[in-house]
Amino acid sequence: RKSRQLANSIFAVAGTTTGALAMVLGGQLIAGADAVRAGLPADLQTLEAWRLSFLLAAAPAPLMVLLVLTVPLGRRPSRPRLNAAPAPPPGPTFLDFFRQRAAPLVKLYTSFGIANFGFQALLAWIVVICMRSFGQTPAQVGAAIGAANLVAVPLAFVASLLLSRWLLPRIGPVFPLRAIWVGYAFSAVVLGSLAFADTIVTVYL
């Protein structure tokens, strides 16, 4: 139970960090697509750089499939013995759990959905905004946003662990919800200020 916060944080950091690396590598792929164009089949040489970068990004996919096949699945469960102790009664189903806590769960995940809508909309358009409004290239945007994430995510990871260890005993079990509320409120202020950014450095910061 005490390691739950650490496990959740590692899961979040892994996803965000690999996303940041994808931004960096994706920008470099678009920038380097023209360098490999001459060595490709004739049908691929005429593709735009962004289409060609999609194909280059997908090239390692067969290797990924082979790596997945190497994941150990564990041993099969042994057959129960005749004199084995009876299995414990099954716990409540998900529907039972949901019925007992429907109101708070609906409020919680509705707020998650609204916040995620905003984050995903920003993520989908920030690259286009940087290129159209500030004259950035895909490689520049990918490198800058990726670097910003690679710096910010470890800092947030450490901060979340330190704050949880300090505040959880003082605030109690409601601390995670309070932390989410404060984090979303702070994010709304920071992300809302992007509307007034007049330089690309301000956007990246």
Side-chain angles (χ1 to χ4, degrees), residues 63-180:
L63 177 61
M64 299 297 107
V65 173
L66 293 176
L67 287 176
V68 170
L69 294 177
T70 66
V71 175
L73 300 179
R75 299 178 179 179
R76 294 182 179 180
S78 58
R79 294 182 180 180
R81 299 178 181 178
L82 295 178
N83 58 351
T93 65
F94 172 76
L95 290 179
D96 294 333
F97 180 87
F98 182 80
R99 289 191 193 100
Q100 296 171 4
R101 302 166 179 82
L105 285 175
V106 168
K107 293 177 182 178
L108 179 66
Y109 285 100
T110 299
S111 65
F112 284 165
I114 293 172
N116 194 51
F117 178 86
F119 286 133
Q120 294 300 325
L122 177 65
L123 183 63
W125 286 102
I126 191 66
V127 174
V128 178
I129 292 171
C130 290
M131 292 171 60
R132 291 183 179 178
S133 300
F134 297 97
Q136 295 286 285
T137 66
Q140 290 174 323
V141 178
I145 294 181
N149 277 282
L150 290 175
V151 171
V153 170
L155 293 177
F157 174 67
V158 174
S160 68
L161 292 181
L162 295 177
L163 285 174
S164 63
R165 290 179 181 178
W166 180 51
L167 293 176
L168 186 57
R170 293 167 173 79
I171 299 178
V174 77
F175 165 72
L177 290 178
R178 296 279 176 85
I180 292 171

